[in-house]
Amino acid sequence: MRVLEEVHRCDGYPVNWPDQPDRWLSQASLLGAWVAELGGRLVGHVSLSRGGEGDLAPGLWSERNGASKDLTAVVSRLFVAPQTRGHGIGALLVGQAVEEALRRGLHPVLDVVASDTAAAALYERLGWELLATVEQQWSPSQMVTVHCYAAAS
């Protein structure tokens, strides 16, 4: 939770701080989660899950490929401690989640808020395809612009 709090303070991720951060990290549809350590210290996290109600990328990928969205897995909850960035930790974590999705016969997809330009740049460097940019209503008073990506085929 300490690293997540640090990332939230520094970058505003997650956009809305969860009431129960531990439950936010271990959502019910979880297929797997991985952490990264550097020098014996936890410095990053990523998870892989089934698509949920708020996930847009599975449906977009499904429509584009004429396949069931059940054939997707959502890469999410990616964060790396600010002071350890630049070591390729984010790319390694994403790679681990992608590897697990493919092992399960699922296509990796994800949604990222448009304001998180560093994350979007990472996904694009890794060859992810931008499916769409959409407006998503997160609450009655909060409209958020979201980029939806799919891993390269």
Side-chain angles (χ1 to χ4, degrees), residues 1-17:
M1 296 309 115
R2 181 188 52 73
V3 176
L4 183 59
E5 286 178 43
E6 195 177 324
V7 169
H8 180 70
R9 276 194 313 274
C10 181
D11 302 325
Y13 177 81
V15 172
N16 299 319
W17 184 254

Side-chain angles (χ1 to χ4, degrees), residues 122-134:
L122 170 66
Y123 303 130
E124 289 174 12
R125 268 194 320 275
L126 295 175
W128 287 63
E129 176 189 0
L130 179 62
L131 299 171
T133 298
V134 298

Side-chain angles (χ1 to χ4, degrees), residues 7 9 14 18 21 33 58-59 63 65 89 97 104-105 108-110 119 124-127 129 145:
V7 169
R9 276 194 313 274
E63 288 171 18
N65 291 280
I89 295 167
R104 291 172 177 258
V109 297
L110 61 86
E124 289 174 12
R125 268 194 320 275
L126 295 175
E129 176 189 0
T145 303

Side-chain angles (χ1 to χ4, degrees), residues 27-95:
Q27 66 264 28
S29 59
L30 192 66
L31 297 171
W34 299 266
V35 296
E37 291 183 3
L38 186 63
R41 197 173 133 235
L42 184 71
V43 296
H45 175 276
V46 71
S47 66
L48 185 71
S49 63
R50 289 290 186 181
E53 182 181 317
D55 295 311
L56 301 173
L60 290 168
W61 180 87
S62 171
E63 288 171 18
R64 185 171 287 189
N65 291 280
S68 170
K69 64 182 176 181
D70 291 338
L71 294 176
T72 64
V74 178
V75 176
S76 63
R77 311 309 198 242
L78 173 66
F79 57 92
V80 175
Q83 68 276 14
T84 61
R85 293 177 185 160
H87 290 84
I89 295 167
L92 289 171
L93 286 166
V94 170

Side-chain angles (χ1 to χ4, degrees), residues 95-117:
Q96 183 64 46
V98 166
E99 184 179 306
E100 178 63 16
L102 296 175
R103 187 186 71 73
R104 291 172 177 258
L106 304 172
H107 194 90
V109 297
L110 61 86
D111 296 335
V112 61
V113 292
S115 60
D116 194 346
T117 56

